[in-house]
Amino acid sequence: MLEIKQKARELLESGKAQVVIGYGKGPNNTTRAIFVRKPEDADKLVLDDTCVQNLALYIYKHEVRHFGKEAVVATLPVLRSLLQLASENQVKDNEIIAIAITPDNKVVELDSFAAIEEHVRLFNTGLTEDEKDLLKKINAMGLEERWAFWNKEFSKCIKCYACRQSCPMCYCPRCAAEVNQPQWIPVAAHQHGNIEWHIMRAMHLAGRCINCGDCARACPVDIPLNLLTYNLIEELNNEFKYTAGLSASQTYVLSTWKLEDKETFIR
Amino acid sequence: MDTENKLLKKASLQKLIEKLNADGKKILAPVIKGKRVEFGLITSSDQMADDYIVTNQSVKSVAFPKFEKLFSYEVTKEGITQADTGYSTFPEFVILGARPCDANALGSIGAIFNWDYHDKLYFDRLEKTTMISTSCSKCDDYCFCTSAGGHPGSTKGSDIQLTRLETGDYFAEILTEKGKKLTSVSPDLFETAPSVDKSKYLAEVPVKFKVDEAVAKVKTVFENELWLDQSLRCIGCGACAFVCPTCACFDIQDETKGKNGIRLRCWDSCGLSLFTLHTSGHNPREVQSQRWRQRIMHKFAYMPERQNVTGCVGCGRCSRACPVDMNIMEHLINIVEVK
């Protein structure tokens, strides 16, 4: 943790970065995102098991970007988000400095996508056994049972959009849910509106979700939204050998066509 | 009316629930739902959550649901026919076990819904609702009712308030005619009360600031950079507003199918970027810091000014629900401390 503070201080003192996005503590010993702009405030940074929020969404927040060059304390989901955002042309190479931790607990400064890609390869990026078990459980349900399960979960939704707002991949300035000519998705938090919203969001994340789990953590009514994305991650892995957020230059799997694709309809 | 103090024995509460159910009333009480405690319909006192600070979501949806039909319409050759929502069909609710902050908050929403227009939907629903609150014997680090004009045994907005005694029985304060009417379903259940020092059973919620001070200060800091500092981590969702017992903003939506349609009102939040977006594309609250400022200003400057109530009861729900740890009490303390 000391090294993180030192690195942040160094970056701010040298002027290499004007803001370090990292984790700090709130008054009830909670962990929260903090935005360090002065070298002397680098001491407020912490890094422990409670630092789970995906900070990547702050890099394009207007007020944060306004401070100047950004550095971010980057856990694996943050790094993968950066690569995914890069592949979607949302962030440029050398634009962000990632302060990352190697598997043997050393602090490293990654300032290019190539460096981030190399670093990410050191980690397991598949679903964990626990995640796979959850997925197995839900997929073991029959069609009707599963439909009933999701209907019950979605009925709790209050359309606060915390799932969307917490997601680094949901960066559209105007979400499909907010387009009203035509109105794609009913605004009201009734069953129809809720189901369409969550299914639409999941489909928009197919092949893009890097599995940080923030949508489910953010949900104030505990809808297990990450179960939807686990399934998408597994499907894409099984069908296309594709994992999101591993490379800044990978093309989007669901909009690329290859001669050797097994489907024949396009030939 | 003058408050009548009674004793409601633990076993009598169950009988009361049965009587009310038999009388056709729906009883909403805190129930455990997974990791959360939410209001749900009950038919027995065993279904009630026992150990909770406040429910995760507030009780406001009883009178201001997350979406509701305002009217339906049909386009015909002769013109447009319209049918109202059927006010008479609203069920009679008894809320059992809301906290004093929640009971108080329905009055704050009422002040908005009775400001320049009397909102019949809200008040008709409220009219059919009887509020039995339970005083708080404990609080957590997010509670700050005593800094927002309330306290753990406040009876404001309640028709009856119950305070649990060591015996498990309840000290019942019958506060309004509506409360009295409710007891009449079975008056024998409400026995003569012993002399009780209610304050002995109440949580001690530390006072963090004086509400008048916050109201006076917030008006002077409109241009202060603290809004930006506080809201850098805010991600602009509506979780705070939707769990808030006093947030009353809504959006009007039409849903049509062929020549038929319904008009709905749905919860909305000033924290969402679309909230103030004009059709021209201009947004007067372009960034999150302006939206966060609006949230606090509305509760602590505009509502006291226009409706003579504060728009915050200090329940702390917004802070508990916030995915990024925006803590309203901490931020209000910062505001009060501005030199």
Side-chain angles (χ1 to χ4, degrees), chain A residues 79-88 113-114 116-118 120-121 125 210 242-252:
Chain A
L79 293 169
R80 290 185 61 196
S81 299
L82 289 174
L83 293 178
Q84 186 59 31
L85 288 168
S87 76
E88 298 177 18
F113 292 150
I116 296 176
E117 284 168 2
E118 200 182 314
V120 165
R121 279 197 285 272
T125 48
I210 57 88
Y242 179 90
T243 306
L246 296 184
S247 139
S249 53
Q250 64 191 3
T251 46
Y252 181 46

PDB file of all heavy atoms in Angstrom, chain A residues 79-88 113-114 116-118 120-121 125 210 242-252:
ATOM      1  N   LEU A  79      -8.046  -2.569 -15.538  1.00  0.00           N
ATOM      2  CA  LEU A  79      -7.144  -2.733 -16.684  1.00  0.00           C
ATOM      3  C   LEU A  79      -7.892  -3.319 -17.882  1.00  0.00           C
ATOM      4  O   LEU A  79      -7.745  -2.863 -19.013  1.00  0.00           O
ATOM      5  CB  LEU A  79      -5.973  -3.649 -16.304  1.00  0.00           C
ATOM      6  CG  LEU A  79      -5.017  -3.069 -15.258  1.00  0.00           C
ATOM      7  CD1 LEU A  79      -4.057  -4.151 -14.766  1.00  0.00           C
ATOM      8  CD2 LEU A  79      -4.240  -1.886 -15.830  1.00  0.00           C
ATOM      9  N   ARG A  80      -8.702  -4.321 -17.597  1.00  0.00           N
ATOM     10  CA  ARG A  80      -9.461  -4.936 -18.696  1.00  0.00           C
ATOM     11  C   ARG A  80     -10.478  -3.948 -19.275  1.00  0.00           C
ATOM     12  O   ARG A  80     -10.713  -3.921 -20.482  1.00  0.00           O
ATOM     13  CB  ARG A  80     -10.157  -6.211 -18.213  1.00  0.00           C
ATOM     14  CG  ARG A  80      -9.162  -7.337 -17.921  1.00  0.00           C
ATOM     15  CD  ARG A  80      -9.879  -8.621 -17.575  1.00  0.00           C
ATOM     16  NE  ARG A  80     -10.721  -9.087 -18.676  1.00  0.00           N
ATOM     17  CZ  ARG A  80     -11.677  -9.990 -18.536  1.00  0.00           C
ATOM     18  NH1 ARG A  80     -11.916 -10.534 -17.346  1.00  0.00           N
ATOM     19  NH2 ARG A  80     -12.399 -10.362 -19.573  1.00  0.00           N
ATOM     20  N   SER A  81     -11.046  -3.123 -18.419  1.00  0.00           N
ATOM     21  CA  SER A  81     -11.974  -2.099 -18.916  1.00  0.00           C
ATOM     22  C   SER A  81     -11.255  -1.132 -19.841  1.00  0.00           C
ATOM     23  O   SER A  81     -11.776  -0.742 -20.883  1.00  0.00           O
ATOM     24  CB  SER A  81     -12.586  -1.315 -17.756  1.00  0.00           C
ATOM     25  OG  SER A  81     -13.297  -2.175 -16.918  1.00  0.00           O
ATOM     26  N   LEU A  82     -10.038  -0.748 -19.430  1.00  0.00           N
ATOM     27  CA  LEU A  82      -9.271   0.193 -20.258  1.00  0.00           C
ATOM     28  C   LEU A  82      -9.019  -0.401 -21.640  1.00  0.00           C
ATOM     29  O   LEU A  82      -9.169   0.282 -22.656  1.00  0.00           O
ATOM     30  CB  LEU A  82      -7.938   0.546 -19.585  1.00  0.00           C
ATOM     31  CG  LEU A  82      -8.023   1.437 -18.344  1.00  0.00           C
ATOM     32  CD1 LEU A  82      -6.655   1.588 -17.691  1.00  0.00           C
ATOM     33  CD2 LEU A  82      -8.577   2.818 -18.703  1.00  0.00           C
ATOM     34  N   LEU A  83      -8.662  -1.678 -21.678  1.00  0.00           N
ATOM     35  CA  LEU A  83      -8.400  -2.313 -22.971  1.00  0.00           C
ATOM     36  C   LEU A  83      -9.678  -2.412 -23.800  1.00  0.00           C
ATOM     37  O   LEU A  83      -9.675  -2.158 -25.010  1.00  0.00           O
ATOM     38  CB  LEU A  83      -7.791  -3.710 -22.771  1.00  0.00           C
ATOM     39  CG  LEU A  83      -6.386  -3.728 -22.167  1.00  0.00           C
ATOM     40  CD1 LEU A  83      -5.912  -5.167 -21.960  1.00  0.00           C
ATOM     41  CD2 LEU A  83      -5.392  -2.968 -23.055  1.00  0.00           C
ATOM     42  N   GLN A  84     -10.764  -2.762 -23.137  1.00  0.00           N
ATOM     43  CA  GLN A  84     -12.031  -2.863 -23.867  1.00  0.00           C
ATOM     44  C   GLN A  84     -12.447  -1.485 -24.395  1.00  0.00           C
ATOM     45  O   GLN A  84     -12.850  -1.346 -25.549  1.00  0.00           O
ATOM     46  CB  GLN A  84     -13.116  -3.460 -22.959  1.00  0.00           C
ATOM     47  CG  GLN A  84     -14.442  -3.741 -23.661  1.00  0.00           C
ATOM     48  CD  GLN A  84     -14.310  -4.716 -24.837  1.00  0.00           C
ATOM     49  OE1 GLN A  84     -13.451  -5.603 -24.838  1.00  0.00           O
ATOM     50  NE2 GLN A  84     -15.149  -4.525 -25.843  1.00  0.00           N
ATOM     51  N   LEU A  85     -12.322  -0.476 -23.530  1.00  0.00           N
ATOM     52  CA  LEU A  85     -12.664   0.891 -23.962  1.00  0.00           C
ATOM     53  C   LEU A  85     -11.759   1.318 -25.118  1.00  0.00           C
ATOM     54  O   LEU A  85     -12.198   1.993 -26.050  1.00  0.00           O
ATOM     55  CB  LEU A  85     -12.527   1.872 -22.791  1.00  0.00           C
ATOM     56  CG  LEU A  85     -13.609   1.762 -21.703  1.00  0.00           C
ATOM     57  CD1 LEU A  85     -13.212   2.562 -20.462  1.00  0.00           C
ATOM     58  CD2 LEU A  85     -14.963   2.261 -22.227  1.00  0.00           C
ATOM     59  N   ALA A  86     -10.497   0.906 -25.063  1.00  0.00           N
ATOM     60  CA  ALA A  86      -9.568   1.236 -26.144  1.00  0.00           C
ATOM     61  C   ALA A  86     -10.023   0.598 -27.447  1.00  0.00           C
ATOM     62  O   ALA A  86     -10.025   1.234 -28.502  1.00  0.00           O
ATOM     63  CB  ALA A  86      -8.167   0.760 -25.778  1.00  0.00           C
ATOM     64  N   SER A  87     -10.442  -0.666 -27.362  1.00  0.00           N
ATOM     65  CA  SER A  87     -10.878  -1.369 -28.576  1.00  0.00           C
ATOM     66  C   SER A  87     -12.145  -0.725 -29.148  1.00  0.00           C
ATOM     67  O   SER A  87     -12.477  -0.915 -30.303  1.00  0.00           O
ATOM     68  CB  SER A  87     -11.090  -2.855 -28.304  1.00  0.00           C
ATOM     69  OG  SER A  87     -12.298  -3.052 -27.594  1.00  0.00           O
ATOM     70  N   GLU A  88     -12.833   0.028 -28.317  1.00  0.00           N
ATOM     71  CA  GLU A  88     -14.044   0.710 -28.777  1.00  0.00           C
ATOM     72  C   GLU A  88     -13.775   2.202 -29.026  1.00  0.00           C
ATOM     73  O   GLU A  88     -14.695   3.020 -29.092  1.00  0.00           O
ATOM     74  CB  GLU A  88     -15.162   0.531 -27.733  1.00  0.00           C
ATOM     75  CG  GLU A  88     -15.539  -0.927 -27.536  1.00  0.00           C
ATOM     76  CD  GLU A  88     -16.601  -1.151 -26.463  1.00  0.00           C
ATOM     77  OE1 GLU A  88     -17.298  -0.200 -26.085  1.00  0.00           O
ATOM     78  OE2 GLU A  88     -16.718  -2.299 -26.006  1.00  0.00           O
ATOM     79  N   PHE A 113      -1.019   0.753 -23.918  1.00  0.00           N
ATOM     80  CA  PHE A 113      -1.916  -0.403 -24.010  1.00  0.00           C
ATOM     81  C   PHE A 113      -1.110  -1.696 -24.086  1.00  0.00           C
ATOM     82  O   PHE A 113      -1.504  -2.721 -23.531  1.00  0.00           O
ATOM     83  CB  PHE A 113      -2.838  -0.279 -25.229  1.00  0.00           C
ATOM     84  CG  PHE A 113      -3.835   0.841 -25.109  1.00  0.00           C
ATOM     85  CD1 PHE A 113      -4.307   1.507 -26.244  1.00  0.00           C
ATOM     86  CD2 PHE A 113      -4.321   1.232 -23.864  1.00  0.00           C
ATOM     87  CE1 PHE A 113      -5.235   2.536 -26.131  1.00  0.00           C
ATOM     88  CE2 PHE A 113      -5.247   2.254 -23.751  1.00  0.00           C
ATOM     89  CZ  PHE A 113      -5.699   2.908 -24.889  1.00  0.00           C
ATOM     90  N   ALA A 114       0.028  -1.619 -24.777  1.00  0.00           N
ATOM     91  CA  ALA A 114       0.863  -2.823 -24.916  1.00  0.00           C
ATOM     92  C   ALA A 114       1.284  -3.311 -23.525  1.00  0.00           C
ATOM     93  O   ALA A 114       1.243  -4.513 -23.231  1.00  0.00           O
ATOM     94  CB  ALA A 114       2.078  -2.513 -25.778  1.00  0.00           C
ATOM     95  N   ILE A 116      -0.258  -2.733 -20.707  1.00  0.00           N
ATOM     96  CA  ILE A 116      -1.434  -3.242 -19.987  1.00  0.00           C
ATOM     97  C   ILE A 116      -1.786  -4.652 -20.480  1.00  0.00           C
ATOM     98  O   ILE A 116      -2.050  -5.550 -19.683  1.00  0.00           O
ATOM     99  CB  ILE A 116      -2.646  -2.280 -20.152  1.00  0.00           C
ATOM    100  CG1 ILE A 116      -2.345  -0.924 -19.502  1.00  0.00           C
ATOM    101  CG2 ILE A 116      -3.912  -2.883 -19.539  1.00  0.00           C
ATOM    102  CD1 ILE A 116      -3.437   0.132 -19.698  1.00  0.00           C
ATOM    103  N   GLU A 117      -1.724  -4.835 -21.786  1.00  0.00           N
ATOM    104  CA  GLU A 117      -2.031  -6.165 -22.357  1.00  0.00           C
ATOM    105  C   GLU A 117      -1.104  -7.225 -21.775  1.00  0.00           C
ATOM    106  O   GLU A 117      -1.539  -8.304 -21.374  1.00  0.00           O
ATOM    107  CB  GLU A 117      -1.887  -6.135 -23.884  1.00  0.00           C
ATOM    108  CG  GLU A 117      -3.038  -5.441 -24.584  1.00  0.00           C
ATOM    109  CD  GLU A 117      -2.753  -5.147 -26.051  1.00  0.00           C
ATOM    110  OE1 GLU A 117      -1.674  -5.508 -26.552  1.00  0.00           O
ATOM    111  OE2 GLU A 117      -3.632  -4.531 -26.691  1.00  0.00           O
ATOM    112  N   GLU A 118       0.161  -6.878 -21.722  1.00  0.00           N
ATOM    113  CA  GLU A 118       1.158  -7.815 -21.209  1.00  0.00           C
ATOM    114  C   GLU A 118       0.880  -8.142 -19.738  1.00  0.00           C
ATOM    115  O   GLU A 118       0.951  -9.289 -19.309  1.00  0.00           O
ATOM    116  CB  GLU A 118       2.543  -7.183 -21.362  1.00  0.00           C
ATOM    117  CG  GLU A 118       3.672  -8.183 -21.316  1.00  0.00           C
ATOM    118  CD  GLU A 118       5.022  -7.464 -21.439  1.00  0.00           C
ATOM    119  OE1 GLU A 118       5.156  -6.572 -22.321  1.00  0.00           O
ATOM    120  OE2 GLU A 118       5.905  -7.763 -20.634  1.00  0.00           O
ATOM    121  N   VAL A 120      -2.030  -7.921 -18.138  1.00  0.00           N
ATOM    122  CA  VAL A 120      -3.293  -8.667 -17.978  1.00  0.00           C
ATOM    123  C   VAL A 120      -3.078 -10.162 -18.238  1.00  0.00           C
ATOM    124  O   VAL A 120      -3.712 -11.009 -17.614  1.00  0.00           O
ATOM    125  CB  VAL A 120      -4.392  -8.071 -18.897  1.00  0.00           C
ATOM    126  CG1 VAL A 120      -5.573  -9.010 -19.045  1.00  0.00           C
ATOM    127  CG2 VAL A 120      -4.847  -6.718 -18.367  1.00  0.00           C
ATOM    128  N   ARG A 121      -2.126 -10.465 -19.133  1.00  0.00           N
ATOM    129  CA  ARG A 121      -1.848 -11.877 -19.458  1.00  0.00           C
ATOM    130  C   ARG A 121      -1.308 -12.660 -18.254  1.00  0.00           C
ATOM    131  O   ARG A 121      -1.305 -13.884 -18.251  1.00  0.00           O
ATOM    132  CB  ARG A 121      -0.875 -11.972 -20.641  1.00  0.00           C
ATOM    133  CG  ARG A 121      -1.569 -11.793 -21.991  1.00  0.00           C
ATOM    134  CD  ARG A 121      -0.711 -12.301 -23.148  1.00  0.00           C
ATOM    135  NE  ARG A 121       0.391 -11.380 -23.461  1.00  0.00           N
ATOM    136  CZ  ARG A 121       0.271 -10.351 -24.310  1.00  0.00           C
ATOM    137  NH1 ARG A 121      -0.869 -10.120 -24.922  1.00  0.00           N
ATOM    138  NH2 ARG A 121       1.305  -9.571 -24.546  1.00  0.00           N
ATOM    139  N   THR A 125      -8.305 -14.763 -16.419  1.00  0.00           N
ATOM    140  CA  THR A 125      -9.404 -13.859 -16.762  1.00  0.00           C
ATOM    141  C   THR A 125     -10.707 -14.612 -17.036  1.00  0.00           C
ATOM    142  O   THR A 125     -11.675 -14.025 -17.488  1.00  0.00           O
ATOM    143  CB  THR A 125      -9.046 -13.001 -18.003  1.00  0.00           C
ATOM    144  OG1 THR A 125      -8.528 -13.874 -19.009  1.00  0.00           O
ATOM    145  CG2 THR A 125      -8.021 -11.945 -17.667  1.00  0.00           C
ATOM    146  N   ILE A 210     -16.526  -7.109 -18.976  1.00  0.00           N
ATOM    147  CA  ILE A 210     -15.269  -7.695 -18.502  1.00  0.00           C
ATOM    148  C   ILE A 210     -15.441  -8.294 -17.103  1.00  0.00           C
ATOM    149  O   ILE A 210     -14.472  -8.591 -16.426  1.00  0.00           O
ATOM    150  CB  ILE A 210     -14.105  -6.698 -18.587  1.00  0.00           C
ATOM    151  CG1 ILE A 210     -14.416  -5.413 -17.791  1.00  0.00           C
ATOM    152  CG2 ILE A 210     -13.798  -6.310 -20.029  1.00  0.00           C
ATOM    153  CD1 ILE A 210     -14.038  -5.475 -16.362  1.00  0.00           C
ATOM    154  N   TYR A 242     -13.649 -16.202 -27.394  1.00  0.00           N
ATOM    155  CA  TYR A 242     -13.456 -14.753 -27.295  1.00  0.00           C
ATOM    156  C   TYR A 242     -13.651 -14.282 -25.862  1.00  0.00           C
ATOM    157  O   TYR A 242     -14.595 -14.671 -25.188  1.00  0.00           O
ATOM    158  CB  TYR A 242     -14.474 -14.051 -28.204  1.00  0.00           C
ATOM    159  CG  TYR A 242     -14.403 -12.546 -28.170  1.00  0.00           C
ATOM    160  CD1 TYR A 242     -13.577 -11.846 -29.059  1.00  0.00           C
ATOM    161  CD2 TYR A 242     -15.145 -11.820 -27.241  1.00  0.00           C
ATOM    162  CE1 TYR A 242     -13.506 -10.465 -29.009  1.00  0.00           C
ATOM    163  CE2 TYR A 242     -15.077 -10.437 -27.195  1.00  0.00           C
ATOM    164  CZ  TYR A 242     -14.259  -9.760 -28.081  1.00  0.00           C
ATOM    165  OH  TYR A 242     -14.187  -8.402 -28.040  1.00  0.00           O
ATOM    166  N   THR A 243     -12.744 -13.458 -25.389  1.00  0.00           N
ATOM    167  CA  THR A 243     -12.882 -12.841 -24.068  1.00  0.00           C
ATOM    168  C   THR A 243     -12.672 -11.342 -24.220  1.00  0.00           C
ATOM    169  O   THR A 243     -11.694 -10.911 -24.845  1.00  0.00           O
ATOM    170  CB  THR A 243     -11.844 -13.416 -23.080  1.00  0.00           C
ATOM    171  OG1 THR A 243     -11.977 -14.832 -23.070  1.00  0.00           O
ATOM    172  CG2 THR A 243     -12.059 -12.885 -21.672  1.00  0.00           C
ATOM    173  N   ALA A 244     -13.593 -10.587 -23.656  1.00  0.00           N
ATOM    174  CA  ALA A 244     -13.499  -9.123 -23.782  1.00  0.00           C
ATOM    175  C   ALA A 244     -12.372  -8.580 -22.902  1.00  0.00           C
ATOM    176  O   ALA A 244     -11.990  -9.196 -21.916  1.00  0.00           O
ATOM    177  CB  ALA A 244     -14.825  -8.494 -23.373  1.00  0.00           C
ATOM    178  N   GLY A 245     -11.852  -7.436 -23.288  1.00  0.00           N
ATOM    179  CA  GLY A 245     -10.899  -6.714 -22.437  1.00  0.00           C
ATOM    180  C   GLY A 245      -9.548  -7.364 -22.279  1.00  0.00           C
ATOM    181  O   GLY A 245      -8.948  -7.302 -21.213  1.00  0.00           O
ATOM    182  N   LEU A 246      -9.059  -8.013 -23.345  1.00  0.00           N
ATOM    183  CA  LEU A 246      -7.713  -8.580 -23.266  1.00  0.00           C
ATOM    184  C   LEU A 246      -6.746  -7.858 -24.190  1.00  0.00           C
ATOM    185  O   LEU A 246      -5.536  -7.977 -24.049  1.00  0.00           O
ATOM    186  CB  LEU A 246      -7.725 -10.076 -23.633  1.00  0.00           C
ATOM    187  CG  LEU A 246      -8.510 -11.014 -22.714  1.00  0.00           C
ATOM    188  CD1 LEU A 246      -8.336 -12.457 -23.159  1.00  0.00           C
ATOM    189  CD2 LEU A 246      -8.073 -10.850 -21.261  1.00  0.00           C
ATOM    190  N   SER A 247      -7.313  -7.143 -25.152  1.00  0.00           N
ATOM    191  CA  SER A 247      -6.449  -6.464 -26.107  1.00  0.00           C
ATOM    192  C   SER A 247      -7.111  -5.170 -26.572  1.00  0.00           C
ATOM    193  O   SER A 247      -8.332  -5.090 -26.685  1.00  0.00           O
ATOM    194  CB  SER A 247      -6.191  -7.405 -27.293  1.00  0.00           C
ATOM    195  OG  SER A 247      -6.231  -6.704 -28.509  1.00  0.00           O
ATOM    196  N   ALA A 248      -6.275  -4.163 -26.800  1.00  0.00           N
ATOM    197  CA  ALA A 248      -6.790  -2.858 -27.213  1.00  0.00           C
ATOM    198  C   ALA A 248      -7.174  -2.854 -28.685  1.00  0.00           C
ATOM    199  O   ALA A 248      -7.850  -1.941 -29.148  1.00  0.00           O
ATOM    200  CB  ALA A 248      -5.745  -1.788 -26.943  1.00  0.00           C
ATOM    201  N   SER A 249      -6.725  -3.861 -29.415  1.00  0.00           N
ATOM    202  CA  SER A 249      -6.955  -3.818 -30.858  1.00  0.00           C
ATOM    203  C   SER A 249      -7.904  -4.904 -31.334  1.00  0.00           C
ATOM    204  O   SER A 249      -8.116  -5.074 -32.515  1.00  0.00           O
ATOM    205  CB  SER A 249      -5.616  -3.931 -31.594  1.00  0.00           C
ATOM    206  OG  SER A 249      -4.939  -5.077 -31.129  1.00  0.00           O
ATOM    207  N   GLN A 250      -8.475  -5.683 -30.382  1.00  0.00           N
ATOM    208  CA  GLN A 250      -9.352  -6.757 -30.860  1.00  0.00           C
ATOM    209  C   GLN A 250     -10.655  -6.170 -31.414  1.00  0.00           C
ATOM    210  O   GLN A 250     -11.172  -5.180 -30.904  1.00  0.00           O
ATOM    211  CB  GLN A 250      -9.605  -7.820 -29.791  1.00  0.00           C
ATOM    212  CG  GLN A 250     -10.343  -7.371 -28.556  1.00  0.00           C
ATOM    213  CD  GLN A 250     -10.294  -8.437 -27.449  1.00  0.00           C
ATOM    214  OE1 GLN A 250      -9.662  -9.478 -27.594  1.00  0.00           O
ATOM    215  NE2 GLN A 250     -10.949  -8.162 -26.344  1.00  0.00           N
ATOM    216  N   THR A 251     -11.134  -6.807 -32.479  1.00  0.00           N
ATOM    217  CA  THR A 251     -12.364  -6.317 -33.086  1.00  0.00           C
ATOM    218  C   THR A 251     -13.551  -6.979 -32.398  1.00  0.00           C
ATOM    219  O   THR A 251     -13.435  -8.087 -31.890  1.00  0.00           O
ATOM    220  CB  THR A 251     -12.383  -6.614 -34.599  1.00  0.00           C
ATOM    221  OG1 THR A 251     -11.964  -7.964 -34.776  1.00  0.00           O
ATOM    222  CG2 THR A 251     -11.489  -5.670 -35.351  1.00  0.00           C
ATOM    223  N   TYR A 252     -14.664  -6.304 -32.425  1.00  0.00           N
ATOM    224  CA  TYR A 252     -15.817  -6.770 -31.675  1.00  0.00           C
ATOM    225  C   TYR A 252     -16.367  -8.063 -32.279  1.00  0.00           C
ATOM    226  O   TYR A 252     -16.730  -8.108 -33.441  1.00  0.00           O
ATOM    227  CB  TYR A 252     -16.883  -5.672 -31.658  1.00  0.00           C
ATOM    228  CG  TYR A 252     -18.114  -6.051 -30.883  1.00  0.00           C
ATOM    229  CD1 TYR A 252     -18.011  -6.642 -29.627  1.00  0.00           C
ATOM    230  CD2 TYR A 252     -19.385  -5.828 -31.395  1.00  0.00           C
ATOM    231  CE1 TYR A 252     -19.132  -7.000 -28.913  1.00  0.00           C
ATOM    232  CE2 TYR A 252     -20.523  -6.173 -30.679  1.00  0.00           C
ATOM    233  CZ  TYR A 252     -20.390  -6.771 -29.441  1.00  0.00           C
ATOM    234  OH  TYR A 252     -21.500  -7.127 -28.729  1.00  0.00           O
TER     235      TYR A 252
END
